Amino acid sequence: MFIQLDRVSKRYGEKVVISDVSLQIHQGECLVLMGDNGSGKTTLLRLLAGLIYPTEGEVLRKKNGGTKKTLNRKTGYAIDRLPVTNFTAMEYLLAMGLMQGLSKKEIQYQTDKWFELFGLIEDKNEQIASYSKGMRQKVNIMQSLLGDPELLLLDEPLSGLDRNSQRNLIQLLLEYKKTKTTLVCASHEPYIVSELADRVAEMQRGKLIRLLQPEEIVTIDTTLVRVTNLSEAEAKLLSTAEGIIELSIQSTQSKKEAEPELTIIMHSSHSDLLLAHILAQGGSIQSVTKEEK
Ligand SMILES: Nc1ncnc2c1ncn2[C@@H]1O[C@H](COP(=O)(O)OP(=O)(O)OP(=O)(O)O)[C@@H](O)[C@H]1O
């Protein structure tokens, strides 16, 4: 199975949102869509999901010598933000799975594994409305995986997830890739590109401006550092320093120290300087893990 976009354009009124995009997506590959806000990534995912149709051109799914214009049910789509509903996570996933024709038993079997993996087992019968952003994102990803789709469309899949959950999700997606699931991810995350991408498509104002092949994808070595004893103000300042990719703050209300624990992902090339800076500010470095490609 592969998907072919043939001179696809999408307009809303006079506004051209996708402009003359031609692209083949191969079975089992992971294509990452990158580009600035508003460049058309989500619209391209919606076209691939068959939720909207091109104004011009065609999106075709070719399988076993045949060609289908519409994409079938074996497409999973995690939208950029799961809306708040009155369902519990389990009720929501059951409803989504039943709509796809899965049995209750199948849905429970699949979702139990994921609830465990994402650390949500205790919360699965709580209302989604009471969930944090990251917890909601986990449910969003789970619904997209129901029924083992052939094509998985993920809009900013790492958004809101803590580093451990990001790692677990990447591992899970790598498993899906091994079973020849085709992945298309809209993402700004270097982590997604370095771990999953076979090709990167760069969008600009609705146009596909560059398609990077595997050998052209430059992966970066990153270092994960856990730090305590830095104030929130110092952490905020640090987050803007050159070489910092991501800085998250976990509050330590249960612990005695007033300062939060920071998880910092940085470019390895900047780590010596940044670690020296953290120590000079009185920070205590709890762990340093190099993630080399
Ligand atoms: N239903 C719609 N009606 C009119 N314009 C739309 C509609 N959907 C999207 N657009 C416009 O299309 C453009 C591309 O939007 P899209 O959401 O695809 O971008 P994106 O690359 O996913 O952005 P982001 O990184 O912010 O998620 C934007 O200018 C947006 O305003």
Side-chain angles (χ1 to χ4, degrees):
M1 187 273 294
F2 69 90
I3 298 154
Q4 185 160 333
L5 284 89
D6 235 350
R7 308 207 65 175
V8 169
S9 294
K10 178 72 186 171
R11 273 194 315 270
Y12 287 107
E14 291 296 299
K15 188 172 179 182
V16 180
V17 176
I18 296 289
S19 174
D20 201 17
V21 170
S22 293
L23 177 66
Q24 268 196 7
I25 305 169
H26 312 288
Q27 178 165 11
E29 83 162 321
C30 174
L31 176 75
V32 174
L33 305 176
M34 295 191 99
D36 291 345
N37 296 134
S39 57
K41 304 179 297 294
T42 298
T43 308
L44 203 57
L45 289 180
R46 287 167 60 77
L47 283 161
L48 287 168
L51 292 176
I52 54 174
Y53 294 98
T55 318
E56 280 142 40
E58 285 181 321
V59 180
L60 302 167
R61 179 181 288 210
K62 304 205 167 191
K63 197 177 176 184
N64 303 332
T67 298
K68 282 189 179 172
K69 277 204 179 181
T70 50
L71 303 183
N72 65 17
R73 281 164 168 235
K74 290 231 161 221
T75 302
Y77 182 25
I79 55 176
D80 60 350
R81 198 162 306 172
L82 185 72
V84 178
T85 72
N86 287 329
F87 287 110
T88 67
M90 193 63 240
E91 286 167 349
Y92 173 73
L93 292 168
L94 259 177
M96 297 302 281
L98 291 172
M99 269 196 283
Q100 285 183 37
L102 300 176
S103 71
K104 205 170 162 182
K105 217 168 146 188
E106 282 173 301
I107 301 165
Q108 257 154 356
Y109 176 75
Q110 284 208 303
T111 52
D112 275 354
K113 283 187 301 185
W114 302 327
F115 278 128
E116 186 74 51
L117 180 77
F118 287 127
L120 275 187
I121 202 103
E122 311 245 301
D123 307 281
K124 69 178 196 177
N125 294 315
E126 300 293 328
Q127 294 237 332
I128 292 175
S130 71
Y131 274 19
S132 70
K133 187 173 161 227
M135 290 160 86
R136 240 174 264 157
Q137 176 64 355
K138 291 173 183 176
V139 178
N140 186 22
I141 303 276
M142 287 187 214
Q143 66 75 24
S144 73
L145 296 173
L146 282 166
D148 296 328
E150 286 176 353
L151 172 65
L152 194 48
L153 307 168
L154 305 169
D155 206 342
E156 298 291 350
L158 300 187
S159 161
L161 299 187
D162 58 59
R163 193 63 176 173
N164 257 342
S165 304
Q166 291 190 354
R167 239 189 277 263
N168 288 341
L169 176 59
I170 297 273
Q171 284 308 318
L172 187 64
L173 295 176
L174 284 169
E175 294 295 316
Y176 275 85
K177 252 183 90 176
K178 274 192 208 149
T179 63
K180 292 280 170 218
T181 305
T182 308
L183 300 179
V184 184
C185 297
S187 180
H188 294 102
E189 292 275 352
Y191 191 37
I192 283 268
V193 175
S194 64
E195 300 300 314
L196 281 176
D198 295 304
R199 291 188 300 159
V200 174
E202 202 177 325
M203 307 281 300
Q204 196 178 75
R205 294 195 187 142
K207 286 200 163 74
L208 175 61
I209 56 159
R210 274 202 307 170
L211 192 57
L212 297 179
Q213 302 301 321
E215 61 278 12
E216 296 172 294
I217 298 172
V218 181
T219 55
I220 46 165
D221 292 344
T222 57
T223 300
L224 177 77
V225 184
R226 288 187 206 285
V227 175
T228 52
N229 288 334
L230 269 193
S231 68
E232 281 210 45
E234 282 159 350
K236 262 199 184 140
L237 258 180
L238 182 64
S239 67
T240 59
E242 195 181 337
I244 299 286
I245 298 170
E246 195 182 307
L247 186 151
S248 53
I249 305 176
Q250 290 89 40
S251 102
T252 52
Q253 283 155 349
S254 56
K255 295 188 192 162
K256 279 192 183 153
E257 335 63 285
E259 279 87 14
E261 179 173 308
L262 310 180
T263 303
I264 308 169
I265 303 163
M266 55 181 74
H267 290 271
S268 294
S269 54
H270 289 64
S271 61
D272 287 351
L273 270 179
L274 288 167
L275 290 174
H277 174 78
I278 290 165
L279 290 172
Q281 297 300 311
S284 305
I285 293 170
Q286 304 299 330
S287 66
V288 178
T289 317
K290 291 219 183 258
E291 302 184 329
E292 280 162 20
K293 294 295 299 169

